[in-house]
Amino acid sequence: MISQTEITGLILAGGRAQRMGGIDKGLIPFHHRPLIESVIHRLRPQVGSILINANRNLEQYSTYGFPVISDDDLSFSGPLAGFAAGLKACPTEYVVTAPCDSPLLPTNLVELLVTKMTEGSFDLVYASSKDPAGKTWAQPVFCLMRVSLSKSLEEFISLGDLKIDRWFKELNSSTVVFDSESAFANINTPEELLTLEKASS
Ligand SMILES: Nc1nc2c(ncn2[C@@H]2O[C@H](COP(=O)(O)OP(=O)(O)OP(=O)(O)O)[C@@H](O)[C@H]2O)c(=O)[nH]1
Ligand SMILES: [Mg+2]
């Protein structure tokens, strides 16, 4: 079994947030607190340590007391750039990722991903959700991986590919389908921010 202390939680806050007007999304107020605080609150009890991946406002992110790491270059090439930076900096054998814009992430995220990873000796297990019509959706930025995948990811990125699902397909990977779709609700626009605040008040 993989113990909690062997897992680092990597919070992805390095995006451009263009649909939110280009501001730093992890720091926008959600129920009067920076959005990332809701993610820290849910993820911290599930892991041994936390890393924050951010490309702006590094000082403000560092006030949470966790290491803050940035992408290798500031081309904002997507979440895989955050994965790569996190894998390089990770002090433990496993890393689990969560985006800064999903404040209701499952409280059993790590438990279920770990169970799946152990069952099949997978290198990477990502979350999926089911919509009300029963269709399954990948939630690839919620993912547990072995830190030994760092080299594979470096190579993948160096070939110019940035598509997360294409990298997953190259690996010994699997998914866990979570019951609650709402736990993966993510805030991309000002409208979504208001809707989710109302729904979670
Ligand atoms: N490190 C890093 N993380 C990124 C990058 N782009 C997106 N992300 C993260 O990936 C997750 C999903 O990103 P999206 O919500 O699709 O993108 P976003 O950049 O936040 O917002 P949009 O620009 O509106 O698409 C979020 O946690 C982002 O912070 C990037 O270039 N670098
Ligand atoms: Mg998003």
Side-chain angles (χ1 to χ4, degrees):
M1 198 60 186
I2 302 165
S3 85
Q4 192 176 315
T5 54
E6 292 175 273
I7 306 171
T8 298
L10 174 65
I11 302 178
L12 301 166
R16 271 201 173 110
Q18 282 168 310
R19 286 167 286 176
M20 194 60 88
I23 51 158
D24 196 342
K25 207 162 40 174
L27 301 176
I28 57 169
F30 179 74
H31 292 304
H32 309 292
R33 308 286 307 166
L35 182 55
I36 193 171
E37 290 188 20
S38 298
V39 177
I40 293 173
H41 182 73
R42 291 230 169 179
L43 192 60
R44 182 69 193 92
Q46 303 188 49
V47 293
S49 51
I50 293 271
L51 276 178
I52 297 176
N53 167 233
N55 291 316
R56 297 179 272 178
N57 301 305
L58 306 185
E59 258 181 47
Q60 198 170 341
Y61 281 114
S62 69
T63 60
Y64 295 110
F66 307 118
V68 180
I69 51 157
S70 297
D71 297 0
D72 277 351
D73 64 74
L74 284 184
S75 57
F76 290 99
S77 40
L80 276 188
F83 278 29
L87 286 171
K88 269 200 248 168
C90 185
T92 56
E93 207 173 321
Y94 299 89
V95 68
V96 65
T97 63
C100 68
D101 61 0
S102 296
L104 308 180
L105 68 98
T107 52
N108 60 355
L109 177 75
V110 175
E111 183 192 341
L112 297 196
L113 295 180
V114 161
T115 302
K116 182 65 149 193
M117 184 173 264
T118 314
E119 273 170 17
S121 296
F122 296 109
D123 289 326
L124 183 148
V125 179
Y126 59 94
S128 295
S129 59
K130 226 178 219 175
D131 70 17
K135 186 170 164 26
T136 298
W137 296 87
Q139 302 286 352
V141 284
F142 296 83
C143 126
L144 174 69
M145 331 165 233
R146 293 182 195 274
V147 169
S148 57
L149 290 181
S150 184
K151 205 155 168 274
S152 151
L153 182 55
E154 291 287 321
E155 276 167 21
F156 184 80
I157 292 174
S158 74
L159 295 174
D161 205 340
L162 294 164
K163 285 289 280 180
I164 216 168
D165 48 335
R166 275 207 290 267
W167 183 54
F168 286 6
K169 282 201 184 105
E170 287 189 358
L171 307 171
N172 177 23
S173 62
S174 187
T175 192
V176 174
V177 182
F178 286 74
D179 291 335
S180 168
E181 193 195 24
S182 59
F184 296 97
N186 81 109
I187 295 172
N188 292 311
T189 64
E191 294 72 33
E192 284 170 354
L193 176 66
L194 288 177
T195 307
L196 205 58
E197 259 191 333
K198 276 195 196 135
S200 61
S201 59

